[in-house]
Coordinates of all heavy atoms in Angstrom, one line a residue:
M21 N -13.9 -49.0 94.6 CA -14.5 -48.6 93.5 C -16.0 -49.0 93.5 O -16.2 -50.2 93.8 CB -13.9 -49.1 92.2 CG -14.6 -48.8 90.9 SD -13.8 -49.5 89.5 CE -13.6 -48.1 88.6
V22 N -16.9 -48.2 93.4 CA -18.3 -48.5 93.3 C -18.8 -48.7 91.9 O -18.5 -47.8 91.0 CB -19.2 -47.3 94.0 CG1 -20.6 -47.7 93.9 CG2 -18.7 -47.1 95.4
T23 N -19.4 -49.8 91.7 CA -19.9 -50.0 90.3 C -21.4 -49.8 90.3 O -22.1 -50.3 91.2 CB -19.7 -51.6 90.0 OG1 -18.3 -51.8 90.0 CG2 -20.1 -51.8 88.5
T24 N -21.9 -49.1 89.3 CA -23.3 -48.7 89.1 C -23.8 -49.4 87.8 O -23.2 -49.1 86.8 CB -23.5 -47.2 89.2 OG1 -22.9 -46.7 90.4 CG2 -25.0 -46.9 89.2
T25 N -24.8 -50.1 87.9 CA -25.4 -50.7 86.7 C -26.3 -49.7 85.9 O -26.8 -48.7 86.5 CB -26.2 -51.9 87.1 OG1 -27.4 -51.5 87.7 CG2 -25.5 -53.0 87.8
N26 N -26.5 -50.0 84.7 CA -27.4 -49.1 83.9 C -28.8 -49.0 84.6 O -29.4 -48.0 84.5 CB -27.5 -49.6 82.5 CG -26.3 -49.3 81.7 OD1 -25.6 -48.5 82.0 ND2 -26.2 -50.1 80.6
Q27 N -29.3 -50.2 85.1 CA -30.6 -50.1 85.7 C -30.6 -49.2 87.0 O -31.6 -48.5 87.2 CB -31.1 -51.5 86.2 CG -31.4 -52.3 84.9 CD -31.8 -53.7 85.3 OE1 -31.4 -54.3 86.4 NE2 -32.6 -54.4 84.5
Q28 N -29.4 -49.2 87.7 CA -29.4 -48.3 88.9 C -29.4 -46.8 88.4 O -30.1 -45.9 89.1 CB -28.2 -48.6 89.8 CG -28.3 -49.9 90.4 CD -26.9 -50.4 91.0 OE1 -25.9 -50.1 90.4 NE2 -27.0 -51.0 92.2
W29 N -28.7 -46.5 87.4 CA -28.7 -45.1 86.9 C -30.1 -44.7 86.4 O -30.5 -43.7 86.6 CB -27.8 -45.1 85.7 CG -26.3 -44.8 86.1 CD1 -25.3 -45.6 85.9 CD2 -25.8 -43.6 86.9 NE1 -24.0 -45.0 86.5 CE2 -24.5 -43.8 87.1 CE3 -26.4 -42.4 87.3 CZ2 -23.7 -42.9 87.7 CZ3 -25.6 -41.5 87.9 CH2 -24.3 -41.8 88.2
M30 N -30.9 -45.6 85.7 CA -32.2 -45.3 85.2 C -33.1 -45.1 86.4 O -33.9 -44.2 86.4 CB -32.7 -46.4 84.3 CG -31.9 -46.4 83.0 SD -32.7 -47.6 81.8 CE -31.7 -49.0 82.2
L31 N -32.9 -45.8 87.4 CA -33.8 -45.6 88.7 C -33.4 -44.2 89.3 O -34.4 -43.5 89.6 CB -33.5 -46.8 89.7 CG -34.2 -48.0 89.4 CD1 -33.8 -49.1 90.4 CD2 -35.7 -47.9 89.4
L32 N -32.2 -43.9 89.3 CA -31.9 -42.6 89.9 C -32.4 -41.4 89.0 O -33.0 -40.5 89.5 CB -30.4 -42.4 90.0 CG -29.8 -41.2 90.4 CD1 -30.3 -40.8 91.9 CD2 -28.3 -41.1 90.3
L33 N -32.2 -41.6 87.7 CA -32.7 -40.5 86.8 C -34.1 -40.4 86.6 O -34.7 -39.4 86.3 CB -32.0 -40.8 85.4 CG -30.5 -40.6 85.3 CD1 -29.9 -41.0 84.1 CD2 -30.1 -39.2 85.7
A34 N -34.9 -41.5 87.0 CA -36.3 -41.5 86.8 C -37.0 -40.5 87.8 O -38.1 -40.2 87.7 CB -36.9 -42.9 87.0
Y35 N -36.2 -40.0 88.8 CA -36.8 -39.1 89.7 C -36.6 -37.6 89.4 O -36.9 -36.7 90.1 CB -36.2 -39.3 91.1 CG -36.7 -40.6 91.7 CD1 -35.9 -41.8 91.6 CD2 -38.0 -40.7 92.3 CE1 -36.5 -43.0 92.2 CE2 -38.5 -42.0 92.7 CZ -37.6 -43.1 92.7 OH -38.2 -44.2 93.2
T36 N -35.9 -37.4 88.2 CA -35.6 -36.1 87.8 C -36.2 -35.8 86.4 O -36.3 -36.7 85.6 CB -34.1 -35.8 87.8 OG1 -33.5 -36.7 86.9 CG2 -33.5 -36.0 89.2
Q37 N -36.5 -34.5 86.2 CA -37.0 -34.2 84.9 C -35.8 -33.8 84.0 O -34.8 -33.3 84.5 CB -37.9 -33.0 84.9 CG -38.7 -32.8 83.7 CD -39.8 -31.8 83.8 OE1 -39.9 -31.1 84.8 NE2 -40.8 -31.8 82.9
S38 N -35.9 -34.1 82.7 CA -34.7 -33.9 81.8 C -35.2 -33.2 80.5 O -36.3 -33.3 80.2 CB -34.1 -35.4 81.5 OG -33.1 -35.1 80.6
Y39 N -34.1 -32.6 79.9 CA -34.3 -32.0 78.5 C -33.7 -32.6 77.5 O -33.8 -32.3 76.3 CB -34.0 -30.5 78.7 CG -34.7 -29.7 79.6 CD1 -34.3 -29.4 80.9 CD2 -36.0 -29.3 79.4 CE1 -35.1 -28.8 81.8 CE2 -36.8 -28.7 80.2 CZ -36.3 -28.3 81.5 OH -37.0 -27.7 82.4
Q40 N -33.0 -33.7 77.8 CA -32.3 -34.5 76.9 C -32.2 -36.0 77.3 O -31.8 -36.2 78.5 CB -30.9 -33.9 76.6 CG -30.1 -34.6 75.5 CD -28.8 -33.8 75.2 OE1 -28.3 -33.1 76.1 NE2 -28.1 -34.2 74.2
L41 N -32.5 -36.9 76.4 CA -32.2 -38.3 76.7 C -31.3 -38.8 75.7 O -31.6 -38.8 74.4 CB -33.6 -39.0 76.6 CG -33.8 -40.4 77.1 CD1 -35.3 -40.8 77.2 CD2 -33.1 -41.4 76.2
V42 N -30.2 -39.3 76.1 CA -29.2 -39.9 75.2 C -29.1 -41.3 75.5 O -28.8 -41.7 76.5 CB -27.8 -39.1 75.3 CG1 -26.8 -39.8 74.3 CG2 -27.9 -37.7 75.0
D43 N -29.3 -42.1 74.4 CA -29.1 -43.6 74.6 C -28.0 -44.2 73.8 O -28.0 -43.9 72.6 CB -30.5 -44.3 74.3 CG -30.4 -45.8 74.4 OD1 -30.2 -46.3 75.4 OD2 -30.6 -46.5 73.3
D44 N -27.2 -44.9 74.5 CA -26.2 -45.7 73.8 C -26.2 -47.2 74.1 O -25.4 -47.8 74.7 CB -24.8 -45.1 74.2 CG -23.6 -45.7 73.4 OD1 -23.9 -46.4 72.3 OD2 -22.5 -45.6 73.8
G45 N -27.4 -47.7 73.8 CA -27.7 -49.0 74.4 C -27.2 -50.2 73.5 O -26.9 -51.2 74.2
D46 N -27.0 -50.1 72.3 CA -26.5 -51.1 71.4 C -27.4 -52.4 71.3 O -27.3 -53.0 70.2 CB -25.1 -51.6 71.8 CG -24.0 -50.6 71.8 OD1 -24.2 -49.6 71.2 OD2 -22.9 -50.8 72.4
Y47 N -28.2 -52.7 72.2 CA -29.0 -53.9 72.1 C -30.5 -53.5 72.3 O -30.9 -52.4 72.8 CB -28.7 -54.9 73.2 CG -27.2 -55.3 73.2 CD1 -26.2 -54.8 74.0 CD2 -26.8 -56.2 72.2 CE1 -24.9 -55.2 73.9 CE2 -25.5 -56.7 72.2 CZ -24.6 -56.1 73.0 OH -23.3 -56.5 72.9
Y48 N -31.4 -54.4 71.8 CA -32.8 -54.2 72.0 C -33.2 -53.8 73.4 O -33.8 -52.8 73.7 CB -33.6 -55.4 71.4 CG -35.1 -55.1 71.4 CD1 -35.7 -54.7 70.2 CD2 -35.8 -55.4 72.6 CE1 -37.1 -54.4 70.3 CE2 -37.3 -55.2 72.5 CZ -37.8 -54.7 71.4 OH -39.2 -54.5 71.4
E49 N -32.9 -54.8 74.3 CA -33.3 -54.7 75.7 C -32.8 -53.4 76.4 O -33.6 -52.7 77.1 CB -32.9 -55.9 76.5 CG -33.5 -57.2 76.1 CD -32.9 -57.9 74.9 OE1 -31.8 -57.4 74.4 OE2 -33.5 -58.8 74.3
S50 N -31.6 -53.1 76.2 CA -31.0 -51.8 76.8 C -31.6 -50.6 76.3 O -31.9 -49.6 77.0 CB -29.5 -51.8 76.8 OG -29.1 -52.0 75.4
T51 N -31.9 -50.6 75.0 CA -32.5 -49.4 74.4 C -33.9 -49.3 74.9 O -34.3 -48.2 75.2 CB -32.4 -49.5 72.9 OG1 -31.0 -49.5 72.4 CG2 -33.1 -48.3 72.2
M52 N -34.7 -50.4 74.8 CA -36.0 -50.4 75.3 C -36.1 -49.9 76.8 O -37.0 -49.2 77.2 CB -36.7 -51.7 75.1 CG -38.1 -51.7 75.4 SD -39.2 -50.5 74.4 CE -39.3 -51.5 72.9
D53 N -35.2 -50.5 77.6 CA -35.2 -50.2 79.1 C -35.0 -48.7 79.3 O -35.6 -48.0 80.1 CB -34.1 -51.0 79.8 CG -34.4 -52.4 80.0 OD1 -35.7 -52.8 79.7 OD2 -33.6 -53.2 80.3
A54 N -34.0 -48.1 78.5 CA -33.7 -46.7 78.7 C -34.9 -45.8 78.3 O -35.3 -44.9 79.1 CB -32.5 -46.3 77.9
L55 N -35.5 -46.1 77.2 CA -36.6 -45.3 76.6 C -37.8 -45.5 77.6 O -38.5 -44.5 78.0 CB -37.0 -45.8 75.2 CG -36.0 -45.4 74.2 CD1 -36.4 -46.1 72.8 CD2 -35.9 -43.9 73.9
T56 N -38.1 -46.7 78.0 CA -39.3 -46.9 78.9 C -39.1 -46.2 80.2 O -40.0 -45.6 80.8 CB -39.5 -48.5 79.1 OG1 -39.6 -49.0 77.9 CG2 -40.6 -48.7 80.0
S57 N -37.9 -46.3 80.8 CA -37.6 -45.6 82.1 C -37.5 -44.2 82.1 O -37.9 -43.5 83.0 CB -36.3 -46.3 82.7 OG -36.4 -47.6 82.8
L58 N -36.9 -43.7 81.1 CA -36.5 -42.2 81.0 C -37.4 -41.3 80.2 O -37.5 -40.1 80.4 CB -35.1 -42.1 80.6 CG -34.1 -42.8 81.5 CD1 -32.7 -42.7 81.0 CD2 -34.2 -42.3 82.9
Y59 N -38.0 -41.8 79.1 CA -38.9 -41.0 78.2 C -39.9 -40.3 79.1 O -40.2 -39.0 78.8 CB -39.4 -41.8 77.1 CG -40.1 -41.0 76.0 CD1 -39.3 -40.3 75.1 CD2 -41.4 -40.7 76.0 CE1 -39.8 -39.5 74.1 CE2 -41.9 -40.0 75.0 CZ -41.1 -39.3 74.1 OH -41.7 -38.5 73.1
P60 N -40.6 -40.9 80.0 CA -41.7 -40.2 80.7 C -41.3 -39.0 81.5 O -42.0 -38.1 81.8 CB -42.2 -41.3 81.7 CG -41.9 -42.6 81.1 CD -40.6 -42.3 80.4
K61 N -39.9 -38.9 81.8 CA -39.3 -37.8 82.5 C -38.8 -36.8 81.5 O -38.4 -35.6 81.9 CB -38.2 -38.2 83.4 CG -38.7 -39.1 84.5 CD -39.7 -38.3 85.4 CE -40.2 -39.2 86.6 NZ -41.1 -38.5 87.4
L62 N -38.8 -37.0 80.3 CA -38.3 -36.0 79.3 C -39.3 -35.0 79.1 O -40.5 -35.1 78.8 CB -38.1 -36.7 78.0 CG -37.4 -35.8 76.8 CD1 -36.0 -35.4 77.2 CD2 -37.5 -36.6 75.5
S63 N -38.8 -33.7 79.2 CA -39.7 -32.5 79.1 C -40.2 -32.3 77.7 O -39.5 -32.7 76.7 CB -38.9 -31.2 79.5 OG -38.5 -31.3 80.8
I64 N -41.4 -31.7 77.5 CA -41.8 -31.3 76.2 C -40.8 -30.3 75.6 O -40.4 -29.4 76.4 CB -43.2 -30.6 76.3 CG1 -44.3 -31.6 77.0 CG2 -43.7 -30.2 74.9 CD1 -44.4 -32.9 76.3
G65 N -40.4 -30.5 74.4 CA -39.3 -29.8 73.8 C -38.0 -30.4 74.0 O -37.0 -29.9 73.5
G66 N -37.8 -31.5 74.8 CA -36.6 -32.1 75.0 C -36.3 -33.1 73.8 O -37.1 -33.3 73.0
W67 N -35.1 -33.5 73.8 CA -34.5 -34.2 72.6 C -34.2 -35.7 73.0 O -33.6 -35.9 74.1 CB -33.3 -33.6 72.1 CG -33.6 -32.3 71.3 CD1 -33.5 -31.0 72.0 CD2 -34.0 -32.1 70.0 NE1 -33.9 -30.1 71.0 CE2 -34.1 -30.7 69.8 CE3 -34.2 -33.0 69.0 CZ2 -34.6 -30.2 68.5 CZ3 -34.6 -32.4 67.7 CH2 -34.7 -31.1 67.5
V68 N -34.6 -36.6 72.2 CA -34.1 -38.0 72.4 C -33.0 -38.2 71.3 O -33.2 -37.9 70.1 CB -35.3 -39.0 72.1 CG1 -34.9 -40.4 72.2 CG2 -36.4 -38.7 73.1
I69 N -31.9 -38.7 71.8 CA -30.8 -39.0 70.9 C -30.4 -40.5 71.0 O -30.1 -41.0 72.1 CB -29.6 -38.1 71.2 CG1 -30.0 -36.6 71.1 CG2 -28.5 -38.4 70.3 CD1 -29.0 -35.6 71.7
I70 N -30.5 -41.2 69.9 CA -30.2 -42.6 69.9 C -28.8 -42.7 69.2 O -28.7 -42.5 68.0 CB -31.3 -43.4 69.2 CG1 -32.7 -43.1 69.9 CG2 -30.9 -45.0 69.2 CD1 -32.8 -43.5 71.2
D71 N -27.8 -43.3 69.9 CA -26.4 -43.3 69.4 C -26.3 -44.4 68.3 O -25.5 -44.0 67.3 CB -25.5 -43.4 70.6 CG -24.0 -43.4 70.1 OD1 -23.7 -42.4 69.4 OD2 -23.3 -44.3 70.4
D72 N -26.8 -45.4 68.6 CA -26.6 -46.6 67.7 C -27.8 -47.1 66.9 O -28.0 -48.3 66.7 CB -26.0 -47.8 68.5 CG -24.7 -47.5 69.1 OD1 -23.8 -46.9 68.4 OD2 -24.5 -47.8 70.3
Y73 N -28.5 -46.1 66.3 CA -29.6 -46.4 65.5 C -29.4 -47.3 64.3 O -30.2 -48.1 63.8 CB -30.3 -45.1 65.1 CG -31.6 -45.3 64.3 CD1 -32.8 -45.6 65.1 CD2 -31.7 -45.1 63.0 CE1 -34.0 -45.8 64.4 CE2 -33.0 -45.3 62.3 CZ -34.0 -45.6 63.0 OH -35.2 -45.7 62.4
N74 N -28.1 -47.3 63.9 CA -27.7 -48.0 62.7 C -27.6 -49.6 63.0 O -27.6 -50.4 62.1 CB -26.5 -47.6 62.1 CG -25.3 -47.8 63.1 OD1 -25.3 -47.6 64.3 ND2 -24.1 -48.3 62.6
I75 N -27.7 -50.0 64.3 CA -27.7 -51.3 64.7 C -29.1 -51.8 64.6 O -30.1 -51.3 65.3 CB -27.1 -51.5 66.1 CG1 -25.6 -51.0 66.1 CG2 -27.2 -53.0 66.5 CD1 -25.1 -51.0 67.5
P76 N -29.4 -52.9 63.9 CA -30.9 -53.2 63.7 C -31.6 -53.5 64.9 O -32.8 -53.0 65.0 CB -30.7 -54.5 62.8 CG -29.4 -54.4 62.0 CD -28.5 -53.6 63.0
C77 N -31.1 -54.1 65.9 CA -32.0 -54.5 67.1 C -32.2 -53.2 67.9 O -33.3 -53.0 68.5 CB -31.2 -55.5 67.9 SG -29.5 -55.0 68.5
C78 N -31.3 -52.1 67.8 CA -31.5 -50.8 68.4 C -32.6 -50.1 67.7 O -33.5 -49.6 68.4 CB -30.2 -50.1 68.5 SG -30.3 -48.5 69.2
A79 N -32.5 -50.1 66.4 CA -33.6 -49.4 65.6 C -34.9 -50.1 65.8 O -35.9 -49.4 65.9 CB -33.2 -49.4 64.1
K80 N -35.0 -51.4 66.0 CA -36.2 -52.1 66.2 C -36.8 -51.7 67.5 O -38.0 -51.4 67.6 CB -36.1 -53.5 66.1 CG -37.4 -54.4 66.5 CD -37.2 -55.8 66.1 CE -38.5 -56.6 66.5 NZ -39.7 -56.0 66.6
A81 N -35.9 -51.5 68.6 CA -36.5 -51.1 69.9 C -37.0 -49.7 69.8 O -38.1 -49.4 70.4 CB -35.3 -51.2 70.9
V82 N -36.3 -48.8 69.1 CA -36.9 -47.4 68.9 C -38.3 -47.4 68.3 O -39.2 -46.8 68.7 CB -35.9 -46.6 68.0 CG1 -36.5 -45.2 67.7 CG2 -34.6 -46.4 68.9
H83 N -38.4 -48.1 67.2 CA -39.6 -48.2 66.4 C -40.7 -48.9 67.3 O -41.8 -48.4 67.3 CB -39.5 -48.9 65.1 CG -38.7 -48.1 64.2 ND1 -39.2 -47.1 63.4 CD2 -37.4 -48.1 63.8 CE1 -38.3 -46.5 62.7 NE2 -37.1 -47.2 62.8
D84 N -40.4 -49.9 68.0 CA -41.4 -50.7 68.8 C -41.9 -49.6 69.9 O -43.1 -49.6 70.2 CB -40.8 -51.9 69.5 CG -40.6 -53.1 68.4 OD1 -41.2 -52.9 67.3 OD2 -40.0 -54.1 68.8
F85 N -40.9 -48.9 70.6 CA -41.3 -48.0 71.6 C -42.2 -46.9 71.1 O -43.2 -46.6 71.6 CB -40.0 -47.3 72.2 CG -40.3 -46.4 73.3 CD1 -40.6 -46.8 74.5 CD2 -40.3 -45.1 73.1 CE1 -40.9 -45.8 75.6 CE2 -40.6 -44.1 74.0 CZ -40.8 -44.6 75.2
R86 N -41.8 -46.3 70.0 CA -42.6 -45.3 69.4 C -44.0 -45.7 68.9 O -44.9 -45.0 69.1 CB -41.8 -44.6 68.1 CG -40.6 -43.8 68.6 CD -39.7 -43.4 67.4 NE -40.4 -42.7 66.3 CZ -40.7 -41.4 66.3 NH1 -40.0 -40.7 67.1 NH2 -41.3 -40.9 65.2
N87 N -44.1 -46.9 68.4 CA -45.4 -47.4 67.9 C -46.2 -47.8 69.2 O -47.4 -47.5 69.2 CB -45.2 -48.7 67.1 CG -44.7 -48.4 65.8 OD1 -44.8 -47.4 65.3 ND2 -43.9 -49.4 65.2
K88 N -45.6 -48.4 70.2 CA -46.4 -48.6 71.4 C -47.0 -47.4 72.1 O -48.1 -47.5 72.6 CB -45.5 -49.3 72.5 CG -46.1 -49.8 73.7 CD -45.2 -50.5 74.6 CE -45.9 -50.9 75.9 NZ -44.9 -51.7 76.9
F89 N -46.3 -46.3 72.0 CA -46.8 -45.1 72.7 C -47.2 -44.0 71.7 O -47.4 -42.9 72.1 CB -45.7 -44.5 73.7 CG -45.4 -45.5 74.8 CD1 -44.3 -46.3 74.8 CD2 -46.3 -45.6 75.9 CE1 -44.1 -47.2 75.8 CE2 -46.0 -46.5 77.0 CZ -44.9 -47.1 76.9
N90 N -47.4 -44.5 70.5 CA -48.0 -43.6 69.4 C -47.2 -42.3 69.3 O -47.8 -41.2 69.3 CB -49.5 -43.3 69.7 CG -50.1 -42.8 68.5 OD1 -49.7 -43.1 67.3 ND2 -51.2 -42.0 68.6
I91 N -45.9 -42.4 69.3 CA -45.0 -41.2 69.2 C -44.9 -40.9 67.7 O -44.3 -41.8 67.0 CB -43.7 -41.4 69.9 CG1 -43.9 -41.7 71.3 CG2 -42.7 -40.3 69.6 CD1 -42.7 -42.2 72.1
T92 N -45.4 -39.8 67.3 CA -45.3 -39.5 65.9 C -44.4 -38.3 65.5 O -44.4 -37.9 64.3 CB -46.8 -39.1 65.4 OG1 -47.2 -38.0 66.2 CG2 -47.7 -40.3 65.5
D93 N -43.6 -37.8 66.5 CA -42.7 -36.7 66.3 C -41.7 -37.3 65.2 O -41.4 -38.4 65.2 CB -41.9 -36.4 67.5 CG -42.9 -35.8 68.6 OD1 -43.8 -35.1 68.3 OD2 -42.7 -36.2 69.8
E94 N -41.2 -36.3 64.4 CA -40.3 -36.7 63.3 C -39.1 -37.4 63.8 O -38.4 -36.8 64.5 CB -40.0 -35.6 62.4 CG -39.1 -35.9 61.3 CD -38.8 -34.6 60.4 OE1 -39.1 -33.5 60.8 OE2 -38.2 -34.9 59.3
L95 N -38.7 -38.5 63.2 CA -37.5 -39.2 63.6 C -36.6 -38.9 62.5 O -36.8 -39.2 61.3 CB -37.8 -40.8 63.6 CG -36.6 -41.6 64.0 CD1 -36.1 -41.3 65.4 CD2 -36.9 -43.0 63.8
C96 N -35.4 -38.3 62.9 CA -34.4 -37.9 61.9 C -33.1 -38.7 62.2 O -32.8 -39.1 63.3 CB -34.0 -36.4 62.2 SG -35.5 -35.4 62.0
K97 N -32.4 -39.0 61.0 CA -31.1 -39.7 61.2 C -30.0 -38.6 61.3 O -30.1 -37.5 60.7 CB -30.8 -40.5 59.9 CG -31.7 -41.8 60.0 CD -31.2 -42.7 58.8 CE -31.9 -44.1 59.0 NZ -31.4 -45.0 58.0
T98 N -28.9 -39.0 61.9 CA -27.8 -38.0 62.1 C -27.1 -38.0 60.7 O -27.2 -38.9 59.8 CB -26.8 -38.5 63.1 OG1 -26.5 -39.9 62.9 CG2 -27.4 -38.4 64.5
A99 N -26.3 -37.0 60.5 CA -25.6 -36.9 59.1 C -24.7 -38.1 58.8 O -24.5 -38.4 57.6 CB -24.7 -35.7 59.2
D100 N -24.3 -38.8 59.8 CA -23.4 -39.9 59.5 C -24.2 -41.3 59.4 O -23.6 -42.3 59.2 CB -22.3 -40.1 60.6 CG -22.9 -40.3 62.0 OD1 -24.1 -40.5 62.1 OD2 -22.1 -40.3 63.0
N101 N -25.5 -41.1 59.5 CA -26.4 -42.3 59.4 C -26.2 -43.4 60.5 O -26.6 -44.6 60.4 CB -26.3 -42.9 58.1 CG -27.1 -42.1 57.0 OD1 -28.2 -41.6 57.3 ND2 -26.6 -42.1 55.8
I102 N -25.5 -43.0 61.5 CA -25.3 -43.9 62.6 C -26.4 -43.8 63.7 O -26.9 -44.7 64.3 CB -23.8 -43.8 63.2 CG1 -22.9 -44.2 62.2 CG2 -23.7 -44.5 64.5 CD1 -21.4 -44.0 62.6
G103 N -26.7 -42.5 64.0 CA -27.6 -42.2 65.1 C -29.0 -41.7 64.5 O -29.2 -41.6 63.3
A104 N -29.9 -41.4 65.5 CA -31.2 -40.8 65.1 C -31.6 -39.9 66.3 O -31.1 -40.1 67.5 CB -32.2 -41.9 64.8
F105 N -32.6 -39.1 66.1 CA -33.1 -38.2 67.1 C -34.4 -37.7 66.8 O -34.9 -37.8 65.7 CB -32.1 -37.0 67.4 CG -31.9 -36.2 66.1 CD1 -32.7 -35.0 65.9 CD2 -30.9 -36.4 65.1 CE1 -32.6 -34.2 64.7 CE2 -30.8 -35.7 64.0 CZ -31.6 -34.6 63.8
W106 N -35.1 -37.3 67.8 CA -36.4 -36.7 67.7 C -36.7 -35.7 68.8 O -36.0 -35.8 69.9 CB -37.6 -37.6 67.5 CG -38.2 -38.3 68.7 CD1 -39.1 -37.8 69.6 CD2 -37.7 -39.6 69.1 NE1 -39.3 -38.8 70.5 CE2 -38.6 -39.9 70.3 CE3 -36.8 -40.6 68.7 CZ2 -38.5 -41.1 71.0 CZ3 -36.7 -41.7 69.4 CH2 -37.5 -42.0 70.5
K107 N -37.5 -34.7 68.6 CA -37.9 -33.7 69.7 C -39.3 -34.1 70.1 O -40.2 -34.2 69.3 CB -37.8 -32.3 69.0 CG -38.1 -31.2 70.1 CD -38.0 -29.8 69.3 CE -38.2 -28.7 70.4 NZ -38.1 -27.4 69.9
R108 N -39.4 -34.2 71.4 CA -40.7 -34.5 72.0 C -41.5 -33.3 72.0 O -41.2 -32.2 72.6 CB -40.4 -35.0 73.5 CG -41.8 -35.4 74.1 CD -41.6 -35.9 75.5 NE -42.8 -36.6 75.9 CZ -43.0 -37.1 77.0 NH1 -42.0 -37.2 77.9 NH2 -44.2 -37.6 77.4
T109 N -42.7 -33.4 71.4 CA -43.5 -32.3 71.2 C -44.9 -32.4 72.0 O -45.6 -31.4 72.0 CB -43.9 -32.0 69.7 OG1 -44.6 -33.1 69.2 CG2 -42.6 -31.7 68.9
K110 N -45.2 -33.5 72.5 CA -46.4 -33.7 73.3 C -46.3 -34.8 74.3 O -45.4 -35.6 74.2 CB -47.6 -34.0 72.4 CG -47.4 -35.2 71.5 CD -48.4 -35.4 70.4 CE -48.0 -36.5 69.5 NZ -48.7 -36.6 68.3
E111 N -47.2 -34.8 75.2 CA -47.2 -35.8 76.3 C -47.4 -37.2 75.7 O -48.1 -37.5 74.8 CB -48.3 -35.6 77.2 CG -48.0 -34.4 78.2 CD -46.9 -34.8 79.2 OE1 -46.8 -35.9 79.7 OE2 -46.2 -33.8 79.5

């Protein structure tokens, strides 16, 4: 059995362009790592979906990332208030 770490997956995915970024990080570091590594490859019009936005450290990572890169696209909560998402509209 081959074990692949999240960091190895992020390196692999960093070479491809994507229309959807789904993060299930649960922790500040894993959420920030996923956003930092994969967001630059997300196409304009693509969607960012954060599975565990209701976890305070995950939400903090999302807000820190968006503030750092001046992302002003509307951040919406899912109907169950567990997740959040936004559509990338600019570089």
Side-chain angles (χ1 to χ4, degrees):
M21 173 183 237
V22 176
T23 302
T24 304
T25 66
N26 285 344
Q27 289 179 335
Q28 289 169 323
W29 276 114
M30 285 187 275
L31 285 172
L32 174 66
L33 293 172
Y35 291 101
T36 61
Q37 193 168 17
S38 178
Y39 296 100
Q40 186 175 14
L41 189 166
V42 179
D43 176 60
D44 186 14
D46 296 348
Y47 301 102
Y48 183 93
E49 293 81 10
S50 55
T51 299
M52 186 62 81
D53 286 347
L55 290 171
T56 301
S57 298
L58 301 176
Y59 192 81
K61 295 295 180 180
L62 184 66
S63 300
I64 303 302
W67 292 91
V68 178
I69 303 167
I70 307 296
D71 186 50
D72 294 315
Y73 184 77
N74 64 319
I75 299 173
C77 59
C78 179
K80 180 170 176 24
V82 170
H83 290 281
D84 288 352
F85 179 82
R86 288 171 52 93
N87 289 335
K88 180 177 180 179
F89 294 100
N90 196 30
I91 297 169
T92 58
D93 299 321
E94 181 181 6
L95 179 65
C96 304
K97 287 190 175 183
T98 56
D100 60 8
N101 283 322
I102 292 174
F105 59 93
W106 76 87
K107 183 176 184 177
R108 184 174 187 179
T109 61
K110 57 188 171 194
E111 285 292 325

